[in-house]
Amino acid sequence: MATKEKKKEASRVVKGQELEVEHLTEIAAVTPKQARALLRKHGADWTKLKDEAEDLKED
């Protein structure tokens, strides 16, 4: 059962990252859901985050 819990936790943005989610939504005009997905995918690589967020806006 520990693996299920770990998996569940890994798919969530850590509580401290909510500020990063808010910041990304403000600077890149993406939804919080999109921001969380980008943060899970790229971590704190803000250059990549901004580029990916710009790509999302164009769609």
Side-chain angles (χ1 to χ4, degrees):
M1 276 196 211
T3 56
K4 276 188 179 180
E5 287 181 27
K6 266 190 176 178
K7 244 185 183 179
K8 195 187 286 185
E9 288 176 20
S11 68
R12 295 183 185 163
V13 175
V14 179
K15 187 176 181 180
Q17 287 180 321
E18 281 303 311
L19 293 174
E20 292 176 339
V21 170
E22 289 176 27
H23 181 68
L24 189 56
T25 58
E26 289 173 6
I27 65 166
V30 294
T31 66
K33 185 176 181 178
Q34 290 171 322
R36 284 185 191 92
L38 289 171
L39 283 164
R40 279 193 298 271
K41 185 176 179 182
H42 299 293
D45 185 350
W46 283 94
T47 305
K48 259 196 173 170
L49 287 169
K50 288 178 186 177
D51 289 343
E52 290 279 330
E54 288 295 321
D55 290 343
L56 285 175
K57 280 195 330 188
E58 292 175 2
D59 289 344

